[in-house]
Amino acid sequence: MRVVIAEDNVLLREGLVLLLTSAGHEVVAVAGTGPETLPALLEHRPDAAVLDVRMPPNFRDEGLRAALEARKEIPGLPVLVLSQYVEESYATELLGGGSSGVGYLLKDRVGRVDEFLDALERVASGGTALDPEVVTELLTRRKDSPLDSLTPREREVLELMAEGHDNATIAKTLVVTERSVHKHIGNVFLKLGLPPTDSGHRRVLAVLAHLTHAPKA
């Protein structure tokens, strides 16, 4: 996999380069500022981009802006965004419009090598990977919403769906059968007023679109 990395922290950037190359991937370019990021993405057109949200010169949302601009020029460019904190607005903007091939992880997740690499590969293949803390933020931020009608088990299934896991992984995680998972997912869609969708990232994006765009109470 050919990867572009945009991260201003030198130690983290070099750590990402080492991690990815050790896993058999090729880092084709690195960027340390927002203005460097978009040209690198457009020049190399990587299989995936790993980007910090806040980068020089203003440390606001330069990395995210570069990712969104790059996806306009390269539709479907897989982007895995890293952030120090849960930034709900960033997650919402990144996922807007039913985008596929997107991920949003907290930087602490990079230290969990297997989880990070799995998330990157899922994003590169057109899937979705959201940090569990981001998912929890999206699930708990609203009051008097259809989410209140979900049972504890349905909420667990929804959280794992939003992280990008398939039915088999959800079943293994919750120690239940895949048939039970399928039934819970059907109940979740019914209670959230969503039509049944195909398996994979499209159902995840449907749920996230509902969570991120539903009116606040």
Side-chain angles (χ1 to χ4, degrees):
M1 184 192 310
R2 299 171 64 255
V3 184
V4 167
I5 297 173
E7 166 61 54
D8 66 288
N9 184 299
V10 177
L11 288 178
L12 179 55
R13 185 170 68 236
E14 292 305 312
L16 286 169
V17 171
L18 179 61
L19 173 60
L20 292 175
T21 53
S22 297
H25 304 301
E26 179 186 2
V27 178
V28 294
V30 295
T33 69
E36 296 173 353
T37 303
L38 181 58
L41 293 173
L42 296 181
E43 176 184 351
H44 294 279
R45 295 178 175 259
D47 299 314
V50 179
L51 310 174
D52 186 10
V53 170
R54 298 183 178 186
M55 298 183 67
N58 298 316
F59 294 98
R60 292 179 180 172
D61 59 358
E62 289 83 355
L64 180 66
R65 294 285 132 230
L68 295 174
E69 286 299 316
R71 284 174 68 94
K72 291 179 182 179
E73 299 292 330
I74 312 172
L77 172 67
V79 173
L80 179 59
V81 169
L82 303 178
S83 180
Q84 191 70 41
Y85 310 101
V86 176
E87 302 274 7
E88 181 186 318
S89 61
Y90 295 157
T92 301
E93 189 161 8
L94 183 66
L95 294 162
S99 300
S100 61
V102 293
Y104 187 108
L105 296 183
L106 296 183
K107 290 186 177 181
D108 289 346
R109 198 70 51 185
V110 177
R112 304 173 188 180
V113 175
D114 290 341
E115 291 184 30
F116 172 72
L117 292 175
D118 177 68
L120 179 60
E121 290 171 4
R122 197 156 63 236
V123 168
S125 64
T128 306
L130 288 189
D131 194 285
E133 290 190 35
V134 176
V135 175
T136 299
E137 177 72 18
L138 294 175
L139 292 176
T140 60
R141 68 187 176 120
R142 303 187 184 282
K143 299 178 180 179
D144 301 324
S145 76
L147 295 174
D148 297 330
S149 65
L150 300 182
T151 66
R153 177 63 82 189
E154 289 166 354
R155 185 176 287 265
E156 288 178 323
V157 169
L158 176 58
E159 290 179 356
L160 290 169
M161 284 173 58
E163 290 170 28
H165 299 298
D166 58 21
N167 286 11
T169 302
I170 294 173
K172 183 177 179 180
T173 301
L174 299 180
V175 195
V176 297
T177 64
E178 287 191 48
R179 183 176 180 180
S180 295
V181 171
H182 181 76
K183 181 178 179 181
H184 288 311
I185 290 173
N187 290 338
V188 168
F189 277 110
L190 181 64
K191 291 179 180 181
L192 295 184
L194 294 167
T197 60
D198 197 1
S199 60
H201 72 269
R202 280 187 286 182
R203 69 176 184 178
V204 176
L205 292 169
V207 171
L208 292 172
H210 179 85
L211 297 178
T212 56
H213 296 296
K216 292 186 178 180

